[in-house]
Amino acid sequence: MSDKTVLDLFESRTSRRRFLRDGGIAALTAGVLTGCKAGAAQPAAAIVQQGAAAGATGGAMGPHDAAAAAAATLASADAMDAMHEKGIKAFPAKTAGLGNQVMHPKLDKGVKVFELTARKTQWETEPGKLVEAWAYNDQVPGPQIRVKEGDRVRIVLHNELPESTAIHFHGLELPNEMDGVPFITQPPVKPGQSYTYEFVVPNAGSHMYHSHHDSTKQVGLGMLGAFIVEPKEKAAHDSVDLDEVLILNDGVHGYTFNGKSFPATQPLVAKLGQKLRIRFMNEGMMIHPMHLHGMHMTIVAKDGWDLPAPWKCDTLNVAPGERWDVIVNCNNPGTWAFHCHILPHAESEHGMFGMVTALVVQK
Amino acid sequence: MSDKTVLDLFESRTSRRRFLRDGGIAALTAGVLTGCKAGAAQPAAAIVQQGAAAGATGGAMGPHDAAAAAAATLASADAMDAMHEKGIKAFPAKTAGLGNQVMHPKLDKGVKVFELTARKTQWETEPGKLVEAWAYNDQVPGPQIRVKEGDRVRIVLHNELPESTAIHFHGLELPNEMDGVPFITQPPVKPGQSYTYEFVVPNAGSHMYHSHHDSTKQVGLGMLGAFIVEPKEKAAHDSVDLDEVLILNDGVHGYTFNGKSFPATQPLVAKLGQKLRIRFMNEGMMIHPMHLHGMHMTIVAKDGWDLPAPWKCDTLNVAPGERWDVIVNCNNPGTWAFHCHILPHAESEHGMFGMVTALVVQK
Amino acid sequence: MSDKTVLDLFESRTSRRRFLRDGGIAALTAGVLTGCKAGAAQPAAAIVQQGAAAGATGGAMGPHDAAAAAAATLASADAMDAMHEKGIKAFPAKTAGLGNQVMHPKLDKGVKVFELTARKTQWETEPGKLVEAWAYNDQVPGPQIRVKEGDRVRIVLHNELPESTAIHFHGLELPNEMDGVPFITQPPVKPGQSYTYEFVVPNAGSHMYHSHHDSTKQVGLGMLGAFIVEPKEKAAHDSVDLDEVLILNDGVHGYTFNGKSFPATQPLVAKLGQKLRIRFMNEGMMIHPMHLHGMHMTIVAKDGWDLPAPWKCDTLNVAPGERWDVIVNCNNPGTWAFHCHILPHAESEHGMFGMVTALVVQK
């Protein structure tokens, strides 16, 4: 979605017309969410009630004092609301760089070759907030690796960092020497060195790759990515219209989805009736209960393994290292908040921030 | 249970007689738990051992020193125990106000109308501890809304707070414009204003309503409640003898169940053989593994959705935003501790506090 | 495994030979893990790249400056790696004392009698790190109690601590007076006193026993243990080759598995093809997502109750008070890292620590 705004994705002449006719659904104009009725358009009756409200918080006041207090309260509320509105109007805010971009391998005699260069970079998590990142190919999360069960793959790691490193393929049941744990399964890859992993992709599912050396720091700074393995034999939930990865993180970069904080998070955009798969992955240090508004999620796989009895929810607890695959039947049109329900990860008195995005279901 | 003590609920002449005959089950007299044999009634043999205990902690001591040390140790233990006993004897302690009280709607041409006034109040979480609350109808949690699938309901929100607000119906799959997210689905409801939500109740189950504006603060201060939707078609677990809601919270009000901290939490009281449904909801910022003593829980629904394969446990992890419905077959008589198993949420050296209550199963 | 090293358990002439032939699997010599190719043996080509790496982090440098910077970076990386290697080579480090040792009961007319003495002791969590522990029979965790469904057991508690205490049998559905909660189901057991619990063991499964008095402190200091009840009727997953208990803790003793921190944690050792049952238990204050490398786990029971629909994962979230039983089919040879995936619980810039162990699958 690098250069598109929500508008580009949401709008079509038809849906736009319908939207304006229906009125209630969030409008998306010029890339911002401004669907609500303007605050200024509130009925005068509500204003009358303000005196009562202010009166309730103070003691005995004359009608003059009460009116002044109500006006002051309203001004204070307006100031807070303006901050909240500004954040939402900025969504999805443009920032430099997008992580989790699907990487196209080179082919070498049937082997899919992925080259990953680990190095320091600057990463913009939200407009104007630049953080130091240690990244694969300058992306946070690193490039999305997407292969098929049974593929032969080669991952070539180039270490341009000032520390040694190594890659662990989290969830893949590989031969031990490909497991990426320095001093247990391989030597550390020193600064300036390269190291090659090569294997036949075993188990399908939503997996990850990340550093397994000085990992609290290295993963915290961005050395992580999705490793998706498509199955040889498809299950019902493998046939979807949209397939999204959502990597949660909470380290020194702040609370992020795919390396970005609200309002720079990317919305998920679906058409009404589409079947959406979301692959949640947590590479942080905290547990995040992800709450989707408006529609439920059917939980179909855990750590890449199909669940024998899929279950439904609207709030899914995702712990560090876990992956959960869910299906959303996008049958409820509108722009739906989608966020971590630990509220201090998602909203402050200055407005929404951090682990907030939206699922846009286009009519 | 506003004016009843555990005694009122537990005791009947028959059960009381049985209880005294059996001896082992916690007696409930004058509203306090005092079922244990008195400490003073311990056998003398135990006292003899104290010298050994004290001796074990020090170096070589004469019999005199050892006896003095043992006495000092015992006095210190007695002092601690007295604090612990005091807390338990005070349970369930009376405090002003009860939250989560079922609200009876007015009927307007077939529409169930619930009026919710948001305003500041003082809330007593435990005896003598008054905190500032931002509450719906002066209750923390707010009034329990209980309706049926397919009902038409109108929720009228009156904002008497010094900030704007809005209500999100957490778990209900509503039309977008009823979703309660300022600047995405509606304007903020300013101080002094009113706002009306009206919809046909969609999916059944254990849901919630809460503020979705400045929510870390507003929900933390009490702007939350249960929204229970009874299903049109009942499942087996919908036929129960008792149906309780337990809302967990952990914000500035401390660790609470339904707005109260131990010893002011309300016990759950069942008769032997009864089938109890508990609807856990977490509106806090932390995850709380709820542990029931004496009996297990069968987990039947998640976020209002029936589980395809109900499972059993005695410790259920409940994350912020989640709802879990469980069934307890109350087949083990007695007074059973029921608490968060993150122990610093439940007990200090001064005794039990916070997230502790009891399930009383009456013979 | 008190006096054995990983070497003793891993090695046989056959497997050793195979291992050396295969090369890639972690060698286990003299009790240490040294399976990787030596860092010094890296190709010169990698060294050439160092200049590029150093150049990337600085500005314009002459070839001389770049070489010096690269050398400094490499020296710094080597120093860090040496710390990491030292920790791994020390694994499994010997420390005084082992907790969770199966306790053999005395028989008294068909009753299995377990005597537990609670007292202060010094506990070595990792080499040279001695902490004050409050322990049962000087073990942290306390002795493992292992009985059968329907057994009559007697637990005699001797309190040699400076505080009162009591034992709660967490997960067992006992008569109320055996539940171990002071002032609710029994008096506190004072310093120097003894107290006897006696009951017919009810429900099977992975349970625990721990203090339920001043529990944040007492459990935090070590007053906890496993209480395993073998079922009368075996399920498929009850027939295993190996049956291990892994008790997680995170209190004042640091991040521990069975009372020890890496590198003093005990590895799990299986032969290729064996079926391993792990009983996870959490007695801490935090949730720990346990990640196994190389193989998945099949989750078969929760809190001692068989799951109706076992599911698979490689990262299992274990909350305080919970028990999860899993089966690992040990079909992937090698030494596999096995750790909490909250990375700051497992690795710092000084190397792995805390909640790290290994599953060794011997060829």
Side-chain angles (χ1 to χ4, degrees):
Chain A
M1 294 198 34
S2 50
D3 282 307
K4 295 199 175 183
T5 64
V6 167
L7 179 64
D8 297 323
L9 289 155
F10 180 90
E11 192 155 336
S12 72
R13 279 172 196 266
T14 328
S15 71
R16 179 73 184 156
R17 240 180 284 126
R18 247 193 241 120
F19 167 77
L20 292 174
R21 190 187 64 216
D22 293 357
I25 301 155
L28 294 159
T29 59
V32 298
L33 301 168
T34 55
C36 59
K37 305 127 195 164
Q42 289 301 306
I47 306 295
V48 172
Q49 292 180 289
Q50 287 164 15
T57 61
M61 288 194 281
H64 234 71
D65 296 338
T73 294
L74 191 58
S76 161
D78 284 345
M80 176 186 278
D81 296 350
M83 290 188 291
H84 284 241
E85 186 175 17
K86 191 180 168 191
I88 287 172
K89 280 195 170 166
F91 176 77
K94 281 195 184 177
T95 46
L98 274 178
N100 187 41
Q101 299 301 293
V102 174
M103 188 178 186
H104 300 288
K106 293 174 197 161
L107 277 177
D108 178 16
K109 295 168 194 163
V111 180
K112 292 184 177 175
V113 181
F114 299 88
E115 304 239 353
L116 295 175
T117 301
R119 67 178 161 226
K120 284 190 190 180
T121 188
Q122 291 286 304
W123 189 251
E124 195 176 15
T125 59
E126 59 185 74
K129 185 182 171 189
L130 283 164
V131 296
E132 177 180 316
W134 290 22
Y136 297 113
N137 298 5
D138 304 320
Q139 292 183 31
V140 180
Q144 185 184 123
I145 295 177
R146 202 161 187 125
V147 295
K148 283 190 180 147
E149 204 182 336
D151 278 354
R152 187 162 191 94
V153 301
R154 187 181 303 144
I155 315 282
V156 186
L157 166 64
H158 306 289
N159 182 11
E160 297 187 4
L161 292 168
E163 290 184 4
S164 296
T165 191
I167 298 181
H168 169 57
F169 301 94
H170 181 111
L172 292 177
E173 306 195 344
L174 297 175
N176 193 255
E177 63 270 28
M178 293 295 127
D179 196 44
V181 185
F183 302 113
I184 296 183
T185 68
Q186 67 165 80
V189 184
K190 300 278 180 183
Q193 290 185 343
S194 294
Y195 195 89
T196 299
Y197 302 89
E198 186 166 329
F199 48 82
V200 175
V201 175
N203 49 316
S206 298
H207 305 300
M208 306 194 286
Y209 65 96
H210 60 75
S211 167
H212 211 288
H213 190 62
D214 195 16
S215 58
T216 299
K217 177 181 177 182
Q218 294 191 3
V219 176
L221 283 170
M223 297 180 68
L224 58 101
F227 197 113
I228 311 290
V229 182
E230 289 167 10
K232 278 182 181 167
E233 290 184 31
K234 285 194 173 188
H237 59 256
D238 292 315
S239 295
V240 294
D241 301 301
L242 297 161
D243 188 338
E244 300 277 0
V245 171
L246 206 60
I247 304 184
L248 321 180
N249 217 332
D250 53 36
V252 289
H253 291 174
Y255 297 111
T256 58
F257 292 156
N258 292 342
K260 302 287 175 175
S261 300
F262 186 87
T265 47
Q266 293 292 303
L268 287 71
V269 181
K271 291 191 197 308
L272 188 62
Q274 281 189 322
K275 194 173 162 188
L276 163 66
R277 179 186 195 140
I278 306 170
R279 301 171 189 262
F280 293 99
M281 306 183 175
N282 186 337
E283 281 282 20
M285 297 176 286
M286 303 173 189
I287 296 171
H288 299 287
M290 289 294 302
H291 175 53
L292 176 61
H293 288 218
M295 283 153 291
H296 59 276
M297 307 182 268
T298 301
I299 316 303
V300 295
K302 169 76 171 81
D303 297 349
W305 299 98
D306 287 351
L307 289 174
W311 46 277
K312 296 174 184 176
C313 71
D314 55 61
T315 306
L316 179 67
N317 207 24
V318 185
E322 289 191 322
R323 292 90 64 211
W324 291 95
D325 285 29
V326 312
I327 299 292
V328 180
N329 289 311
C330 298
N331 56 14
N332 202 356
T335 296
W336 301 99
F338 188 21
H339 58 95
C340 174
H341 211 279
I342 296 180
L343 299 178
H345 299 181
E347 194 176 31
S348 78
E349 58 182 354
H350 299 109
M352 291 187 189
F353 75 99
M355 292 187 146
V356 176
T357 187
L359 169 55
V360 181
V361 179
Q362 306 169 317
K363 262 195 182 176
Chain B
M1 292 195 37
S2 51
D3 283 305
K4 295 198 173 185
T5 66
V6 166
L7 180 64
D8 297 324
L9 290 155
F10 181 89
E11 193 155 336
S12 71
R13 276 171 199 268
T14 329
S15 71
R16 179 74 185 156
R17 240 181 283 127
R18 252 193 238 118
F19 167 77
L20 292 174
R21 189 186 66 214
D22 294 356
I25 300 155
L28 294 159
T29 59
V32 298
L33 301 167
T34 56
C36 60
K37 306 125 197 167
Q42 289 300 304
I47 305 293
V48 172
Q49 292 177 289
Q50 287 164 16
T57 61
M61 288 194 281
H64 233 71
D65 296 337
T73 294
L74 192 59
S76 161
D78 285 345
M80 177 186 279
D81 295 351
M83 289 188 291
H84 284 240
E85 185 175 18
K86 191 180 167 191
I88 286 172
K89 280 195 169 167
F91 175 78
K94 280 195 185 177
T95 46
L98 274 178
N100 186 40
Q101 299 301 293
V102 175
M103 188 178 186
H104 300 290
K106 292 176 197 161
L107 278 177
D108 178 16
K109 295 168 194 163
V111 180
K112 291 184 177 174
V113 181
F114 299 88
E115 305 241 352
L116 295 175
T117 300
R119 66 179 160 224
K120 285 190 190 179
T121 188
Q122 291 285 303
W123 189 251
E124 195 176 16
T125 59
E126 58 185 76
K129 185 181 171 190
L130 283 163
V131 295
E132 179 181 315
W134 290 23
Y136 297 114
N137 298 5
D138 305 319
Q139 292 183 31
V140 180
Q144 185 183 123
I145 295 177
R146 202 162 188 125
V147 294
K148 282 188 182 149
E149 204 182 337
D151 278 353
R152 186 160 193 95
V153 302
R154 187 180 303 145
I155 315 283
V156 186
L157 166 65
H158 306 289
N159 182 9
E160 298 187 3
L161 292 168
E163 289 185 5
S164 296
T165 191
I167 297 179
H168 169 56
F169 302 93
H170 181 111
L172 293 178
E173 306 195 344
L174 298 174
N176 193 255
E177 63 268 30
M178 293 295 125
D179 196 44
V181 184
F183 302 112
I184 296 183
T185 69
Q186 67 165 80
V189 184
K190 301 279 180 183
Q193 290 185 343
S194 295
Y195 195 88
T196 298
Y197 301 90
E198 186 165 329
F199 48 82
V200 175
V201 175
N203 49 316
S206 297
H207 305 300
M208 306 194 287
Y209 65 97
H210 60 75
S211 167
H212 212 287
H213 190 62
D214 195 17
S215 57
T216 299
K217 177 180 175 182
Q218 293 191 3
V219 176
L221 283 169
M223 296 179 68
L224 59 101
F227 196 113
I228 311 290
V229 182
E230 290 167 8
K232 278 183 181 168
E233 289 183 33
K234 285 193 171 188
H237 59 255
D238 291 316
S239 295
V240 294
D241 301 302
L242 298 161
D243 188 338
E244 300 276 0
V245 171
L246 206 60
I247 303 182
L248 321 180
N249 217 333
D250 53 36
V252 289
H253 291 173
Y255 297 113
T256 58
F257 292 156
N258 292 341
K260 303 287 176 175
S261 300
F262 186 87
T265 46
Q266 293 291 304
L268 286 71
V269 182
K271 290 190 197 312
L272 188 62
Q274 280 189 323
K275 192 172 164 190
L276 163 66
R277 177 185 196 140
I278 306 171
R279 301 171 189 261
F280 293 100
M281 306 184 175
N282 185 337
E283 281 282 20
M285 296 175 286
M286 304 171 188
I287 295 171
H288 299 287
M290 290 294 303
H291 175 52
L292 176 62
H293 288 218
M295 284 153 290
H296 60 275
M297 307 181 269
T298 302
I299 316 302
V300 295
K302 168 78 171 81
D303 297 349
W305 298 98
D306 288 351
L307 289 174
W311 44 278
K312 297 173 184 177
C313 71
D314 55 60
T315 307
L316 179 68
N317 207 23
V318 185
E322 290 191 323
R323 293 89 65 209
W324 290 94
D325 285 29
V326 312
I327 299 292
V328 180
N329 289 311
C330 299
N331 55 14
N332 202 355
T335 295
W336 301 101
F338 187 19
H339 58 93
C340 175
H341 212 279
I342 297 180
L343 300 177
H345 297 181
E347 194 176 31
S348 77
E349 60 183 353
H350 298 109
M352 291 187 190
F353 75 100
M355 291 186 147
V356 177
T357 186
L359 169 56
V360 180
V361 179
Q362 306 169 318
K363 262 196 182 174
Chain C
M1 294 197 35
S2 50
D3 282 305
K4 297 198 174 185
T5 66
V6 167
L7 180 64
D8 298 323
L9 289 156
F10 181 90
E11 193 155 335
S12 71
R13 276 169 199 269
T14 327
S15 71
R16 180 74 184 155
R17 240 181 282 126
R18 248 191 242 121
F19 168 79
L20 292 175
R21 190 188 64 213
D22 293 356
I25 300 155
L28 295 160
T29 59
V32 298
L33 301 168
T34 57
C36 59
K37 307 124 196 169
Q42 288 301 304
I47 305 294
V48 171
Q49 293 179 286
Q50 287 164 18
T57 61
M61 289 194 280
H64 234 70
D65 296 338
T73 293
L74 193 58
S76 161
D78 285 345
M80 176 187 278
D81 296 350
M83 290 187 292
H84 285 241
E85 186 175 18
K86 191 181 168 190
I88 287 172
K89 280 195 169 164
F91 174 79
K94 281 195 184 178
T95 46
L98 273 179
N100 186 41
Q101 300 300 293
V102 175
M103 188 177 186
H104 299 289
K106 293 175 196 161
L107 277 177
D108 178 16
K109 296 169 195 163
V111 180
K112 292 185 177 174
V113 182
F114 299 88
E115 305 239 351
L116 295 175
T117 300
R119 67 178 159 225
K120 283 189 191 181
T121 188
Q122 291 286 302
W123 188 251
E124 195 176 16
T125 59
E126 60 186 74
K129 185 181 171 189
L130 282 163
V131 296
E132 177 179 316
W134 291 23
Y136 296 114
N137 297 6
D138 304 319
Q139 291 183 32
V140 180
Q144 185 184 123
I145 295 177
R146 202 162 186 123
V147 294
K148 282 190 183 148
E149 203 183 335
D151 278 354
R152 187 163 191 93
V153 301
R154 187 181 303 144
I155 315 283
V156 186
L157 167 65
H158 305 290
N159 182 11
E160 298 187 3
L161 291 168
E163 289 185 4
S164 297
T165 192
I167 297 180
H168 169 56
F169 301 93
H170 181 111
L172 293 177
E173 305 195 343
L174 298 175
N176 193 256
E177 63 269 30
M178 292 295 127
D179 195 44
V181 184
F183 302 112
I184 295 183
T185 68
Q186 67 164 81
V189 184
K190 300 280 179 181
Q193 291 185 344
S194 295
Y195 194 88
T196 299
Y197 301 89
E198 186 166 329
F199 48 82
V200 174
V201 175
N203 49 316
S206 297
H207 304 301
M208 307 194 287
Y209 65 96
H210 60 76
S211 167
H212 212 287
H213 190 62
D214 195 17
S215 57
T216 299
K217 177 181 177 182
Q218 294 191 3
V219 176
L221 283 169
M223 298 180 68
L224 59 101
F227 196 113
I228 311 289
V229 182
E230 290 168 10
K232 278 182 179 167
E233 290 183 31
K234 285 193 174 188
H237 58 255
D238 292 316
S239 295
V240 293
D241 301 302
L242 297 161
D243 188 338
E244 299 276 0
V245 171
L246 206 61
I247 304 183
L248 321 180
N249 217 333
D250 53 35
V252 290
H253 291 174
Y255 297 112
T256 58
F257 292 156
N258 292 341
K260 302 287 176 176
S261 300
F262 186 87
T265 46
Q266 294 291 303
L268 286 71
V269 182
K271 290 189 199 310
L272 188 62
Q274 280 189 325
K275 193 173 163 188
L276 163 67
R277 179 185 195 140
I278 306 170
R279 301 171 189 262
F280 292 99
M281 304 182 176
N282 186 337
E283 281 282 20
M285 296 175 287
M286 303 171 188
I287 296 170
H288 300 287
M290 289 294 302
H291 176 52
L292 175 62
H293 287 219
M295 285 153 290
H296 59 274
M297 308 183 267
T298 301
I299 316 302
V300 295
K302 168 76 171 81
D303 297 350
W305 298 98
D306 287 351
L307 288 175
W311 46 278
K312 297 174 183 175
C313 71
D314 55 59
T315 307
L316 179 67
N317 207 24
V318 186
E322 289 192 323
R323 293 89 64 210
W324 290 95
D325 286 29
V326 312
I327 299 292
V328 180
N329 289 312
C330 298
N331 55 14
N332 202 356
T335 295
W336 300 100
F338 187 20
H339 58 94
C340 175
H341 211 279
I342 296 180
L343 299 177
H345 297 181
E347 194 176 30
S348 78
E349 57 182 355
H350 299 107
M352 291 188 190
F353 75 99
M355 291 187 147
V356 176
T357 187
L359 169 56
V360 180
V361 179
Q362 306 169 318
K363 264 195 180 175

